[in-house]
């Protein structure tokens, strides 16, 4: 075949982005819970409900408060929380799903907010580290971190306490090993793991009434 007769079998850039986005939405991240793919999906390669590229209105609940925000579809949940809603407890460190500093709970499951688009959070219940203080009283999980001096720079701490809170909400009486397993998606660059272990043991012992 000469050049003019060659059929164009290359996917367009748009088709590639749609396929890659659909695959990414269903991919697990480091043992953290995977949310369902959004409702708008490729149906046998046919119709796709397009949003954007301009602003899209998204509504969800953050720490018990209903909020609405208009963001471009490319904006991550982390950026929507921090930059549009001033919810800064979740931290941006790696911005690529490896450190856990941006950990939040969505409908009770922990996820990396940097790996989820804000539009995917439509209608969800989101909890950040800010939910672990009320009336100037710390929840017992961050309180255990304070008592054990389990932070240095503190950048990882909001992610750790949210992940740890999720463990205790899912299991009323976990073992220290079970709590540590729930923290596998989080890292501390300052290396405060020994102090975190002290906090974990204190919390587990509280549960057992020791
Ligand atoms: S900032 Fe999201 S995992 Fe590191
Ligand atoms: S306290 Fe600095 S990264 Fe954990």
């Amino acid at each position: 075949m000469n050049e003019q007769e060659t059929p164009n079998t290359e996917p367009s850039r748009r088709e590639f982005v749609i396929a890659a986005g659909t695959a990414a939405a269903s991919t697990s991240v480091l043992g953290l819970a995977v949310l369902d793919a959004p409702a708008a999906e490729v149906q046998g390669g046919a119709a796709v409900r397009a949003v954007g590229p301009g602003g899209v209105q998204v509504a969800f609940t953050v720490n018990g408060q209903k909020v609405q925000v208009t963001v471009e579809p490319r904006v991550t949940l982390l950026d929507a929380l921090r930059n549009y809603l001033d919810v800064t407890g979740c931290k941006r460190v790696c911005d690529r799903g490896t450190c856990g500093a941006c950990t939040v709970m969505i409908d009770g499951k922990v996820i990396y907010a940097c790996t989820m688009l804000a539009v995917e959070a439509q209608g969800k219940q989101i909890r950040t580290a800010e939910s672990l203080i009320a009336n100037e009283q710390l929840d017992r999980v961050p309180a255990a971190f304070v008592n054990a001096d389990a932070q240095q720079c503190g950048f990882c701490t909001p992610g750790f306490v949210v992940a740890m809170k999720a463990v205790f909400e899912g299991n009323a009486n976990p073992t220290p090993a079970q709590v540590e397993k729930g923290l596998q998606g989080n890292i501390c660059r300052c290396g405060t793991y020994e102090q975190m272990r002290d906090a974990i043991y204190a919390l587990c012992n509280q549960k057992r009434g020791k």
Side-chain angles (χ1 to χ4, degrees):
M1 276 185 199
N2 64 32
E3 202 173 80
Q4 278 188 323
E5 293 168 329
T6 304
N8 181 7
T9 55
E10 293 287 313
S12 71
R13 193 186 315 182
R14 180 171 178 75
E15 286 167 338
F16 175 80
V17 169
I18 289 168
T22 304
S26 60
T27 301
S28 172
V29 181
L30 281 179
L32 293 179
V34 180
L35 296 171
D36 292 338
E41 291 186 343
V42 175
Q43 300 290 342
V48 175
R49 184 169 61 85
V51 291
V56 179
Q57 197 170 69
V58 187
F60 42 68
T61 303
V62 181
N63 301 328
Q65 196 175 350
K66 288 187 176 172
V67 297
Q68 281 194 347
V69 63
T70 301
V71 292
E72 291 177 21
R74 66 189 173 90
V75 172
T76 63
L77 176 61
L78 176 63
D79 283 346
L81 289 168
R82 289 184 57 82
N83 301 342
Y84 292 74
L85 297 166
D86 205 25
V87 180
T88 55
C90 42
K91 304 298 183 200
R92 184 215 294 247
V93 176
C94 71
D95 205 22
R96 59 190 60 198
T98 59
C99 75
C102 63
T103 301
V104 299
M105 275 189 250
I106 300 219
D107 293 345
K109 297 176 182 172
V110 286
I111 68 134
Y112 296 144
C114 71
T115 63
M116 182 176 185
L117 295 173
V119 292
E120 294 177 282
Q122 184 81 261
K124 307 278 187 196
Q125 300 272 346
I126 298 162
R127 282 176 66 195
T128 68
E130 282 91 341
S131 72
L132 301 180
I133 183 168
N135 302 322
E136 301 190 4
Q137 285 291 313
L138 275 180
D139 176 90
R140 65 192 195 91
V141 169
F145 269 64
V146 172
N147 291 337
D149 201 15
Q151 64 275 311
Q152 287 188 36
C153 76
F155 254 77
C156 69
T157 311
F160 268 102
V161 295
V162 168
M164 199 181 292
K165 184 68 182 174
V167 173
F168 280 96
E169 289 190 349
N171 179 350
N173 210 11
T175 63
Q178 288 171 326
V179 178
E180 285 197 32
K181 192 171 180 196
L183 303 178
Q184 283 179 338
N186 297 66
I187 60 173
C188 172
R189 287 173 176 78
C190 297
T192 61
Y193 296 111
E194 282 311 305
Q195 292 91 333
M196 281 193 222
R197 286 206 171 94
D198 291 343
I200 291 168
Y201 274 87
L203 286 162
C204 291
N205 284 340
Q206 276 175 18
K207 271 290 178 191
R208 291 180 171 81
K210 290 181 187 169

